[in-house]
Amino acid sequence: MIKDTLYSKMDHLLFLLPASHHSPEEITSILKKHPEIKFVSLVGVDLGGNDTDEKIPVNLFLNDIDHFLTCGVQTDGSSVILPEIATLNNAKVDLIPDKSVNWFVDYNFDHYDAQTNLPVGTLRIPSFLIHNNVKVDSRSILFNAVGHFKNQILKLLKEYPYVLEALGINSTDDIEEVVLTAATELEFWVKTPDDKADIEQLSTSQVLKEQYWKRTIGPVRTAMEQSLLALNNYGLEAEMGHKEVGGVKAKLTENGSFDHIMEQLEIDWKYCTALQCADNELIARDVVKDTFMANGLEVTFMAKPIEGVAGNGEHHHVGVALKLKNGKMKNLFAPIDMKKDYMNPIGFGAIMGLLKNYEVVNPFVTATNDAFNRLKPGFEAPVCTVCSIGHSAESPSRNRTVLVGLIRDMKNPMATRFELRSPNPTSNTYLVLASVYQAMLDGIQAALQNNKASYELEETLSKKAGEASFYLEKERAYRSEEDVFEDYTEKERVALFGKPPATVWDNLVNFEKYPEKKSVLLKGNVFNESIINSYKTATLTQWTTELYNRIIPENMNIVRSYKKLHKNDYVTDLDVVTWEKINHLRYYLMKDSLNKKSLFTKIREAIDKEDYETVSKLQLEMNNKMNTLNELYTIYKRNLFEL
């Protein structure tokens, strides 16, 4: 448990240093008042979404604070994910503090300062990674995307003033600022350490919806409540914590404690500006993991930690507003009359831009083998590039089967936003948001440059496959208010909404397959060829390394564990035939001969040759064969008297 003294000392701890308090004088004064803060850490985020932890003694920081705030520190960029940028022979990277966002204090509750009797703290300062005088990190990309989006929106409003009427604004002179807002929803699994998953129990509980929104108990409840309180200390304004659909009931032991805990949870906090949203997510993950670990529970943010059971999603909510000089705020997507229209022209353009260009957004959303394991029909995870905006403007609805949903509150136009349902906790939120803004801006420009009104854009978004459009692709449909999984066959889904990628390679190849869409990312120098190539290299390396050294060995262990169990006294023809099918699959998957190579060997050889197209096809075959093998062995064991 977290130390009993902790909450009595909370009032003495500093958790947040707001962006408004980043002058050298204020920082020095605050840190001297909090001697328990012993370190300063400059936090950069590489292209893989990993954050650095360059820990510097606070006295060194304060002794040369002006230099640190301006020039930061140097580090070895070859140790982070910046391939083809920070190379072994050119690895120097500068970490430069970002004074425009909040800074957080990370406390070590296992290490108390002898002088203050408070936990030792580290001031974590979000920073930019600069290589050869060029910003090359995930935070910089999102920072640039936000700036580009703001500049272009103001330019478009001046060039196409007809849209001001739809916003209820007289003139662009009334606008003080464009504000980009975002929020993420964090899902995760918690469990007792070393516990194994019972897939059938978990699947049954999920089908019966026995866990969703149920009351938490025991250490899960304690950790959940502590996490929500801790998020408030960091200024995140926790909004909700609840059980998700996955999980089984814990067992109460003889001594009154709980064991065999395995539950899926979700924690949400308030939206904020785009860059701050992504930074907040980093501290939220640390808070959740540390708090649950302190309560004896393991946490995983994997997209699909348990096959056959609901995975962890991380829906991204995206909104844009105008701050007017009179202090009022205007939602940039909402119509004047919420009962008449779904959105104004800018909102329709934004959602069309995201859908049309999603092929080059998706590589940043779904970038791992684990992430693709989650995107399967039947688990409320989107597999089709299609949106829902509601059955009517007067009756907002939520379609949980689509890629993008329009969220509306009839009483609060400022709540109008898009929910992108495909991201998961392994997605790099900085790059996801940056690519989403670039894609949306492309659609907004097209809508306004063609002087389209809301009703015309609604017709375009709702077009049928085969109908021509001024912007959207002719052969595709882009809107569905139906259940995408129940009301369409797989063949119909592919015909209407396009074939979804099935592997990491399927996603990455889209950068070359759709050059005109890739060019959307490059506008405003938000992304550049160097960044995209580095990201591709990093993602390919992760994909193939995991396949070669983790997935195939794990599958080999499964194949080896599936052994003949039946005895002659209790055997039936069904047992014999089923085992023969199992054994045939075992040999096909794993056993090489003089004149024939196993599927596992073929995949490894294709990886060695960098034949990624073949690797992708063989990986899908392996997944299908392993699923069949697992199902057959379950049926086989079920029919045996003795095991």
Tab-separated table of all heavy atoms in Angstrom, residues 384-438:
chain	number	residue	atom	x	y	z
A	384	CYS	N	-13.177	-0.094	-40.339
A	384	CYS	CA	-13.590	0.531	-41.603
A	384	CYS	C	-13.424	2.039	-41.535
A	384	CYS	O	-13.732	2.662	-40.517
A	384	CYS	CB	-15.057	0.215	-41.909
A	384	CYS	SG	-15.423	-1.536	-42.005
A	385	THR	N	-12.987	2.634	-42.646
A	385	THR	CA	-12.846	4.090	-42.731
A	385	THR	C	-14.198	4.682	-43.072
A	385	THR	O	-14.536	4.916	-44.239
A	385	THR	CB	-11.789	4.469	-43.783
A	385	THR	OG1	-10.562	3.815	-43.456
A	385	THR	CG2	-11.550	5.973	-43.800
A	386	VAL	N	-14.980	4.922	-42.025
A	386	VAL	CA	-16.349	5.398	-42.189
A	386	VAL	C	-16.715	6.192	-40.943
A	386	VAL	O	-16.173	5.959	-39.858
A	386	VAL	CB	-17.324	4.214	-42.396
A	386	VAL	CG1	-17.306	3.271	-41.208
A	386	VAL	CG2	-18.736	4.703	-42.676
A	387	CYS	N	-17.636	7.144	-41.105
A	387	CYS	CA	-18.026	7.978	-39.968
A	387	CYS	C	-19.514	7.864	-39.695
A	387	CYS	O	-20.287	7.350	-40.498
A	387	CYS	CB	-17.670	9.441	-40.232
A	387	CYS	SG	-18.833	10.304	-41.321
A	388	SER	N	-19.898	8.381	-38.536
A	388	SER	CA	-21.305	8.538	-38.167
A	388	SER	C	-21.478	9.946	-37.623
A	388	SER	O	-20.655	10.416	-36.828
A	388	SER	CB	-21.696	7.512	-37.102
A	388	SER	OG	-22.929	7.855	-36.482
A	389	ILE	N	-22.534	10.628	-38.062
A	389	ILE	CA	-22.811	11.962	-37.529
A	389	ILE	C	-24.165	12.010	-36.827
A	389	ILE	O	-24.547	13.053	-36.293
A	389	ILE	CB	-22.739	13.043	-38.627
A	389	ILE	CG1	-23.770	12.794	-39.724
A	389	ILE	CG2	-21.332	13.103	-39.221
A	389	ILE	CD1	-23.830	13.923	-40.757
A	390	GLY	N	-24.892	10.886	-36.802
A	390	GLY	CA	-26.183	10.833	-36.133
A	390	GLY	C	-27.321	10.609	-37.106
A	390	GLY	O	-27.220	10.903	-38.293
A	391	HIS	N	-28.437	10.082	-36.581
A	391	HIS	CA	-29.586	9.783	-37.442
A	391	HIS	C	-30.316	11.046	-37.884
A	391	HIS	O	-30.930	11.084	-38.945
A	391	HIS	CB	-30.554	8.855	-36.706
A	391	HIS	CG	-29.979	7.491	-36.444
A	391	HIS	ND1	-29.798	6.559	-37.441
A	391	HIS	CD2	-29.505	6.929	-35.306
A	391	HIS	CE1	-29.254	5.460	-36.924
A	391	HIS	NE2	-29.071	5.659	-35.639
A	392	SER	N	-30.249	12.097	-37.059
A	392	SER	CA	-30.822	13.386	-37.429
A	392	SER	C	-30.128	14.466	-36.622
A	392	SER	O	-29.534	14.195	-35.572
A	392	SER	CB	-32.336	13.420	-37.163
A	392	SER	OG	-32.594	13.451	-35.767
A	393	ALA	N	-30.220	15.702	-37.106
A	393	ALA	CA	-29.564	16.807	-36.407
A	393	ALA	C	-30.177	17.042	-35.030
A	393	ALA	O	-29.498	17.463	-34.091
A	393	ALA	CB	-29.648	18.079	-37.249
A	394	GLU	N	-31.467	16.755	-34.892
A	394	GLU	CA	-32.156	16.989	-33.622
A	394	GLU	C	-31.895	15.889	-32.599
A	394	GLU	O	-32.100	16.105	-31.401
A	394	GLU	CB	-33.671	17.102	-33.859
A	394	GLU	CG	-34.090	18.372	-34.562
A	394	GLU	CD	-35.601	18.533	-34.558
A	394	GLU	OE1	-36.163	18.805	-33.488
A	394	GLU	OE2	-36.206	18.357	-35.633
A	395	SER	N	-31.435	14.719	-33.063
A	395	SER	CA	-31.258	13.586	-32.148
A	395	SER	C	-29.851	13.016	-32.284
A	395	SER	O	-29.627	12.044	-33.025
A	395	SER	CB	-32.300	12.492	-32.446
A	395	SER	OG	-33.608	13.004	-32.345
A	396	PRO	N	-28.888	13.615	-31.596
A	396	PRO	CA	-27.521	13.083	-31.663
A	396	PRO	C	-27.476	11.625	-31.217
A	396	PRO	O	-28.192	11.222	-30.303
A	396	PRO	CB	-26.754	13.979	-30.680
A	396	PRO	CG	-27.566	15.219	-30.566
A	396	PRO	CD	-28.988	14.788	-30.722
A	397	SER	N	-26.678	10.837	-31.886
A	397	SER	CA	-26.581	9.417	-31.550
A	397	SER	C	-25.119	9.021	-31.512
A	397	SER	O	-24.241	9.751	-31.971
A	397	SER	CB	-27.344	8.566	-32.572
A	397	SER	OG	-26.782	8.720	-33.857
A	398	ARG	N	-24.851	7.854	-30.971
A	398	ARG	CA	-23.477	7.351	-30.885
A	398	ARG	C	-23.424	5.998	-31.585
A	398	ARG	O	-24.107	5.052	-31.190
A	398	ARG	CB	-23.049	7.194	-29.418
A	398	ARG	CG	-22.988	8.480	-28.633
A	398	ARG	CD	-21.814	9.344	-29.022
A	398	ARG	NE	-20.548	8.768	-28.621
A	398	ARG	CZ	-19.993	8.931	-27.423
A	398	ARG	NH1	-20.605	9.636	-26.499
A	398	ARG	NH2	-18.826	8.390	-27.148
A	399	ASN	N	-22.639	5.906	-32.633
A	399	ASN	CA	-22.435	4.645	-33.335
A	399	ASN	C	-21.038	4.151	-32.964
A	399	ASN	O	-20.034	4.734	-33.376
A	399	ASN	CB	-22.560	4.865	-34.851
A	399	ASN	CG	-22.495	3.562	-35.631
A	399	ASN	OD1	-22.021	2.543	-35.123
A	399	ASN	ND2	-22.966	3.584	-36.866
A	400	ARG	N	-20.970	3.075	-32.192
A	400	ARG	CA	-19.690	2.597	-31.665
A	400	ARG	C	-18.962	1.671	-32.635
A	400	ARG	O	-17.935	1.090	-32.289
A	400	ARG	CB	-19.935	1.868	-30.334
A	400	ARG	CG	-20.497	2.775	-29.253
A	400	ARG	CD	-20.877	1.997	-27.997
A	400	ARG	NE	-19.740	1.311	-27.403
A	400	ARG	CZ	-18.865	1.883	-26.583
A	400	ARG	NH1	-19.004	3.161	-26.262
A	400	ARG	NH2	-17.862	1.195	-26.075
A	401	THR	N	-19.457	1.542	-33.854
A	401	THR	CA	-18.827	0.625	-34.809
A	401	THR	C	-18.024	1.351	-35.880
A	401	THR	O	-17.436	0.700	-36.743
A	401	THR	CB	-19.894	-0.249	-35.495
A	401	THR	OG1	-20.704	0.559	-36.357
A	401	THR	CG2	-20.786	-0.939	-34.478
A	402	VAL	N	-18.014	2.684	-35.854
A	402	VAL	CA	-17.368	3.445	-36.930
A	402	VAL	C	-15.986	3.927	-36.502
A	402	VAL	O	-15.613	3.871	-35.327
A	402	VAL	CB	-18.233	4.651	-37.350
A	402	VAL	CG1	-19.554	4.183	-37.934
A	402	VAL	CG2	-18.462	5.601	-36.176
A	403	LEU	N	-15.236	4.439	-37.475
A	403	LEU	CA	-13.906	4.978	-37.209
A	403	LEU	C	-13.977	6.326	-36.507
A	403	LEU	O	-13.275	6.571	-35.519
A	403	LEU	CB	-13.138	5.137	-38.530
A	403	LEU	CG	-11.751	5.778	-38.429
A	403	LEU	CD1	-10.759	4.808	-37.822
A	403	LEU	CD2	-11.279	6.249	-39.802
A	404	VAL	N	-14.826	7.221	-37.032
A	404	VAL	CA	-14.944	8.580	-36.505
A	404	VAL	C	-16.403	8.873	-36.201
A	404	VAL	O	-17.271	8.627	-37.044
A	404	VAL	CB	-14.428	9.636	-37.508
A	404	VAL	CG1	-14.395	11.009	-36.853
A	404	VAL	CG2	-13.062	9.266	-38.042
A	405	GLY	N	-16.655	9.396	-35.022
A	405	GLY	CA	-18.009	9.773	-34.660
A	405	GLY	C	-18.090	11.252	-34.342
A	405	GLY	O	-17.145	11.846	-33.795
A	406	LEU	N	-19.211	11.878	-34.703
A	406	LEU	CA	-19.474	13.267	-34.336
A	406	LEU	C	-20.154	13.269	-32.974
A	406	LEU	O	-21.196	12.640	-32.786
A	406	LEU	CB	-20.369	13.935	-35.379
A	406	LEU	CG	-20.903	15.331	-35.020
A	406	LEU	CD1	-19.765	16.330	-34.885
A	406	LEU	CD2	-21.920	15.796	-36.059
A	407	ILE	N	-19.550	13.968	-32.006
A	407	ILE	CA	-20.117	14.072	-30.664
A	407	ILE	C	-20.776	15.436	-30.535
A	407	ILE	O	-20.146	16.469	-30.787
A	407	ILE	CB	-19.028	13.912	-29.579
A	407	ILE	CG1	-18.195	12.654	-29.841
A	407	ILE	CG2	-19.656	13.881	-28.194
A	407	ILE	CD1	-18.963	11.378	-29.784
A	408	ARG	N	-22.045	15.437	-30.144
A	408	ARG	CA	-22.785	16.694	-30.031
A	408	ARG	C	-23.593	16.715	-28.737
A	408	ARG	O	-24.046	15.687	-28.267
A	408	ARG	CB	-23.754	16.871	-31.212
A	408	ARG	CG	-23.117	16.762	-32.568
A	408	ARG	CD	-24.169	16.734	-33.667
A	408	ARG	NE	-24.715	18.046	-33.964
A	408	ARG	CZ	-26.002	18.349	-33.951
A	408	ARG	NH1	-26.889	17.426	-33.631
A	408	ARG	NH2	-26.418	19.551	-34.248
A	409	ASP	N	-23.756	17.902	-28.180
A	409	ASP	CA	-24.623	18.135	-27.029
A	409	ASP	C	-25.549	19.282	-27.408
A	409	ASP	O	-25.097	20.420	-27.585
A	409	ASP	CB	-23.785	18.483	-25.796
A	409	ASP	CG	-24.634	18.674	-24.535
A	409	ASP	OD1	-25.859	18.887	-24.663
A	409	ASP	OD2	-24.066	18.627	-23.429
A	410	MET	N	-26.834	18.980	-27.542
A	410	MET	CA	-27.781	19.980	-28.033
A	410	MET	C	-27.817	21.222	-27.150
A	410	MET	O	-28.117	22.320	-27.618
A	410	MET	CB	-29.177	19.364	-28.127
A	410	MET	CG	-29.275	18.184	-29.101
A	410	MET	SD	-28.842	18.630	-30.797
A	410	MET	CE	-30.244	19.649	-31.233
A	411	LYS	N	-27.499	21.074	-25.864
A	411	LYS	CA	-27.543	22.204	-24.947
A	411	LYS	C	-26.209	22.939	-24.850
A	411	LYS	O	-26.131	24.000	-24.237
A	411	LYS	CB	-27.973	21.722	-23.559
A	411	LYS	CG	-29.374	21.124	-23.515
A	411	LYS	CD	-29.722	20.653	-22.119
A	411	LYS	CE	-31.121	20.032	-22.073
A	411	LYS	NZ	-31.448	19.540	-20.711
A	412	ASN	N	-25.177	22.350	-25.428
A	412	ASN	CA	-23.846	22.941	-25.315
A	412	ASN	C	-23.089	22.802	-26.632
A	412	ASN	O	-22.344	21.842	-26.835
A	412	ASN	CB	-23.063	22.266	-24.178
A	412	ASN	CG	-21.670	22.852	-24.024
A	412	ASN	OD1	-21.376	23.947	-24.505
A	412	ASN	ND2	-20.798	22.114	-23.357
A	413	PRO	N	-23.250	23.757	-27.561
A	413	PRO	CA	-22.555	23.681	-28.856
A	413	PRO	C	-21.039	23.576	-28.719
A	413	PRO	O	-20.367	23.013	-29.593
A	413	PRO	CB	-22.963	24.991	-29.543
A	413	PRO	CG	-24.247	25.389	-28.895
A	413	PRO	CD	-24.133	24.943	-27.471
A	414	MET	N	-20.471	24.105	-27.622
A	414	MET	CA	-19.022	24.061	-27.445
A	414	MET	C	-18.505	22.631	-27.290
A	414	MET	O	-17.308	22.381	-27.432
A	414	MET	CB	-18.612	24.882	-26.219
A	414	MET	CG	-18.685	26.380	-26.429
A	414	MET	SD	-17.663	26.956	-27.813
A	414	MET	CE	-16.038	26.462	-27.272
A	415	ALA	N	-19.380	21.688	-26.992
A	415	ALA	CA	-18.967	20.289	-26.826
A	415	ALA	C	-18.852	19.553	-28.158
A	415	ALA	O	-18.451	18.385	-28.186
A	415	ALA	CB	-19.947	19.553	-25.921
A	416	THR	N	-19.195	20.195	-29.269
A	416	THR	CA	-19.137	19.558	-30.580
A	416	THR	C	-17.693	19.202	-30.926
A	416	THR	O	-16.802	20.062	-30.902
A	416	THR	CB	-19.718	20.488	-31.661
A	416	THR	OG1	-21.045	20.873	-31.282
A	416	THR	CG2	-19.764	19.784	-33.012
A	417	ARG	N	-17.474	17.936	-31.271
A	417	ARG	CA	-16.113	17.464	-31.522
A	417	ARG	C	-16.170	16.132	-32.257
A	417	ARG	O	-17.243	15.546	-32.414
A	417	ARG	CB	-15.345	17.290	-30.214
A	417	ARG	CG	-15.942	16.229	-29.282
A	417	ARG	CD	-15.355	16.304	-27.892
A	417	ARG	NE	-15.809	15.214	-27.022
A	417	ARG	CZ	-16.939	15.212	-26.340
A	417	ARG	NH1	-17.764	16.255	-26.413
A	417	ARG	NH2	-17.258	14.182	-25.565
A	418	PHE	N	-15.007	15.638	-32.671
A	418	PHE	CA	-14.909	14.332	-33.306
A	418	PHE	C	-14.238	13.350	-32.349
A	418	PHE	O	-13.302	13.711	-31.624
A	418	PHE	CB	-14.092	14.397	-34.598
A	418	PHE	CG	-14.669	15.329	-35.633
A	418	PHE	CD1	-13.857	16.249	-36.282
A	418	PHE	CD2	-16.010	15.292	-35.941
A	418	PHE	CE1	-14.380	17.109	-37.228
A	418	PHE	CE2	-16.543	16.145	-36.896
A	418	PHE	CZ	-15.731	17.055	-37.534
A	419	GLU	N	-14.722	12.130	-32.374
A	419	GLU	CA	-14.106	11.055	-31.603
A	419	GLU	C	-13.488	10.056	-32.577
A	419	GLU	O	-14.202	9.390	-33.333
A	419	GLU	CB	-15.144	10.354	-30.728
A	419	GLU	CG	-14.567	9.200	-29.924
A	419	GLU	CD	-15.636	8.395	-29.192
A	419	GLU	OE1	-16.707	8.141	-29.791
A	419	GLU	OE2	-15.412	8.018	-28.030
A	420	LEU	N	-12.166	9.968	-32.574
A	420	LEU	CA	-11.452	8.975	-33.381
A	420	LEU	C	-11.287	7.733	-32.520
A	420	LEU	O	-10.605	7.753	-31.495
A	420	LEU	CB	-10.094	9.525	-33.811
A	420	LEU	CG	-9.228	8.609	-34.688
A	420	LEU	CD1	-9.922	8.315	-36.014
A	420	LEU	CD2	-7.863	9.233	-34.921
A	421	ARG	N	-11.908	6.621	-32.937
A	421	ARG	CA	-12.035	5.446	-32.082
A	421	ARG	C	-10.931	4.406	-32.301
A	421	ARG	O	-10.875	3.414	-31.578
A	421	ARG	CB	-13.396	4.787	-32.303
A	421	ARG	CG	-14.568	5.681	-31.924
A	421	ARG	CD	-15.906	4.978	-32.150
A	421	ARG	NE	-15.982	3.710	-31.459
A	421	ARG	CZ	-16.267	3.560	-30.164
A	421	ARG	NH1	-16.496	4.623	-29.416
A	421	ARG	NH2	-16.334	2.356	-29.623
A	422	SER	N	-10.069	4.620	-33.265
A	422	SER	CA	-9.078	3.602	-33.590
A	422	SER	C	-7.817	3.598	-32.730
A	422	SER	O	-7.182	2.559	-32.598
A	422	SER	CB	-8.670	3.730	-35.064
A	422	SER	OG	-8.324	5.070	-35.359
A	423	PRO	N	-7.379	4.727	-32.128
A	423	PRO	CA	-6.133	4.675	-31.363
A	423	PRO	C	-6.212	3.737	-30.160
A	423	PRO	O	-7.301	3.395	-29.679
A	423	PRO	CB	-5.946	6.129	-30.910
A	423	PRO	CG	-6.688	6.940	-31.897
A	423	PRO	CD	-7.876	6.107	-32.271
A	424	ASN	N	-5.047	3.345	-29.699
A	424	ASN	CA	-4.927	2.498	-28.514
A	424	ASN	C	-3.805	3.072	-27.651
A	424	ASN	O	-3.103	3.999	-28.078
A	424	ASN	CB	-4.639	1.053	-28.941
A	424	ASN	CG	-3.277	0.915	-29.577
A	424	ASN	OD1	-2.255	0.779	-28.910
A	424	ASN	ND2	-3.239	0.964	-30.915
A	425	PRO	N	-3.602	2.572	-26.440
A	425	PRO	CA	-2.587	3.174	-25.570
A	425	PRO	C	-1.161	3.102	-26.095
A	425	PRO	O	-0.294	3.790	-25.562
A	425	PRO	CB	-2.739	2.374	-24.262
A	425	PRO	CG	-4.151	1.913	-24.264
A	425	PRO	CD	-4.448	1.606	-25.692
A	426	THR	N	-0.891	2.281	-27.116
A	426	THR	CA	0.459	2.257	-27.695
A	426	THR	C	0.609	3.263	-28.834
A	426	THR	O	1.706	3.449	-29.352
A	426	THR	CB	0.826	0.852	-28.216
A	426	THR	OG1	-0.003	0.531	-29.348
A	426	THR	CG2	0.638	-0.210	-27.142
A	427	SER	N	-0.483	3.914	-29.223
A	427	SER	CA	-0.400	4.949	-30.266
A	427	SER	C	0.372	6.149	-29.727
A	427	SER	O	0.256	6.496	-28.555
A	427	SER	CB	-1.795	5.404	-30.699
A	427	SER	OG	-2.575	4.334	-31.193
A	428	ASN	N	1.142	6.783	-30.601
A	428	ASN	CA	1.872	7.995	-30.240
A	428	ASN	C	0.921	9.179	-30.410
A	428	ASN	O	0.690	9.657	-31.526
A	428	ASN	CB	3.096	8.151	-31.146
A	428	ASN	CG	3.955	9.345	-30.788
A	428	ASN	OD1	3.486	10.319	-30.221
A	428	ASN	ND2	5.232	9.270	-31.141
A	429	THR	N	0.352	9.644	-29.310
A	429	THR	CA	-0.686	10.669	-29.363
A	429	THR	C	-0.209	11.935	-30.061
A	429	THR	O	-0.977	12.598	-30.772
A	429	THR	CB	-1.182	10.997	-27.943
A	429	THR	OG1	-1.820	9.833	-27.406
A	429	THR	CG2	-2.170	12.146	-27.933
A	430	TYR	N	1.055	12.306	-29.881
A	430	TYR	CA	1.585	13.504	-30.531
A	430	TYR	C	1.469	13.391	-32.050
A	430	TYR	O	0.998	14.315	-32.726
A	430	TYR	CB	3.054	13.710	-30.148
A	430	TYR	CG	3.291	13.950	-28.679
A	430	TYR	CD1	3.592	12.892	-27.831
A	430	TYR	CD2	3.221	15.230	-28.139
A	430	TYR	CE1	3.826	13.101	-26.475
A	430	TYR	CE2	3.454	15.454	-26.793
A	430	TYR	CZ	3.750	14.382	-25.964
A	430	TYR	OH	3.972	14.592	-24.624
A	431	LEU	N	1.900	12.250	-32.594
A	431	LEU	CA	1.879	12.075	-34.048
A	431	LEU	C	0.463	11.833	-34.561
A	431	LEU	O	0.126	12.240	-35.674
A	431	LEU	CB	2.796	10.916	-34.447
A	431	LEU	CG	4.270	11.075	-34.069
A	431	LEU	CD1	5.093	9.927	-34.644
A	431	LEU	CD2	4.821	12.418	-34.564
A	432	VAL	N	-0.361	11.160	-33.770
A	432	VAL	CA	-1.757	10.953	-34.169
A	432	VAL	C	-2.449	12.302	-34.326
A	432	VAL	O	-3.070	12.587	-35.359
A	432	VAL	CB	-2.512	10.079	-33.146
A	432	VAL	CG1	-4.005	10.063	-33.455
A	432	VAL	CG2	-1.970	8.652	-33.149
A	433	LEU	N	-2.360	13.150	-33.304
A	433	LEU	CA	-3.029	14.449	-33.372
A	433	LEU	C	-2.462	15.312	-34.489
A	433	LEU	O	-3.217	15.982	-35.208
A	433	LEU	CB	-2.898	15.172	-32.031
A	433	LEU	CG	-3.693	14.588	-30.860
A	433	LEU	CD1	-3.406	15.360	-29.576
A	433	LEU	CD2	-5.188	14.591	-31.149
A	434	ALA	N	-1.148	15.295	-34.659
A	434	ALA	CA	-0.540	16.105	-35.722
A	434	ALA	C	-1.054	15.689	-37.092
A	434	ALA	O	-1.408	16.541	-37.926
A	434	ALA	CB	0.982	15.981	-35.662
A	435	SER	N	-1.098	14.392	-37.355
A	435	SER	CA	-1.567	13.915	-38.664
A	435	SER	C	-3.065	14.157	-38.835
A	435	SER	O	-3.530	14.457	-39.942
A	435	SER	CB	-1.230	12.432	-38.843
A	435	SER	OG	-1.805	11.637	-37.828
A	436	VAL	N	-3.823	14.055	-37.760
A	436	VAL	CA	-5.264	14.332	-37.823
A	436	VAL	C	-5.509	15.796	-38.191
A	436	VAL	O	-6.355	16.106	-39.039
A	436	VAL	CB	-5.943	13.985	-36.478
A	436	VAL	CG1	-7.341	14.608	-36.388
A	436	VAL	CG2	-6.048	12.474	-36.303
A	437	TYR	N	-4.779	16.707	-37.580
A	437	TYR	CA	-4.951	18.131	-37.895
A	437	TYR	C	-4.587	18.428	-39.348
A	437	TYR	O	-5.271	19.213	-40.023
A	437	TYR	CB	-4.099	18.989	-36.964
A	437	TYR	CG	-4.580	19.008	-35.533
A	437	TYR	CD1	-3.692	18.863	-34.476
A	437	TYR	CD2	-5.937	19.157	-35.229
A	437	TYR	CE1	-4.135	18.872	-33.154
A	437	TYR	CE2	-6.381	19.164	-33.923
A	437	TYR	CZ	-5.468	19.015	-32.883
A	437	TYR	OH	-5.921	19.016	-31.591
A	438	GLN	N	-3.518	17.801	-39.840
A	438	GLN	CA	-3.129	18.007	-41.237
A	438	GLN	C	-4.213	17.497	-42.181
A	438	GLN	O	-4.543	18.147	-43.182
A	438	GLN	CB	-1.803	17.295	-41.520
A	438	GLN	CG	-0.589	17.906	-40.844
A	438	GLN	CD	-0.198	19.250	-41.405
A	438	GLN	OE1	-0.654	20.293	-40.919
A	438	GLN	NE2	0.639	19.253	-42.439
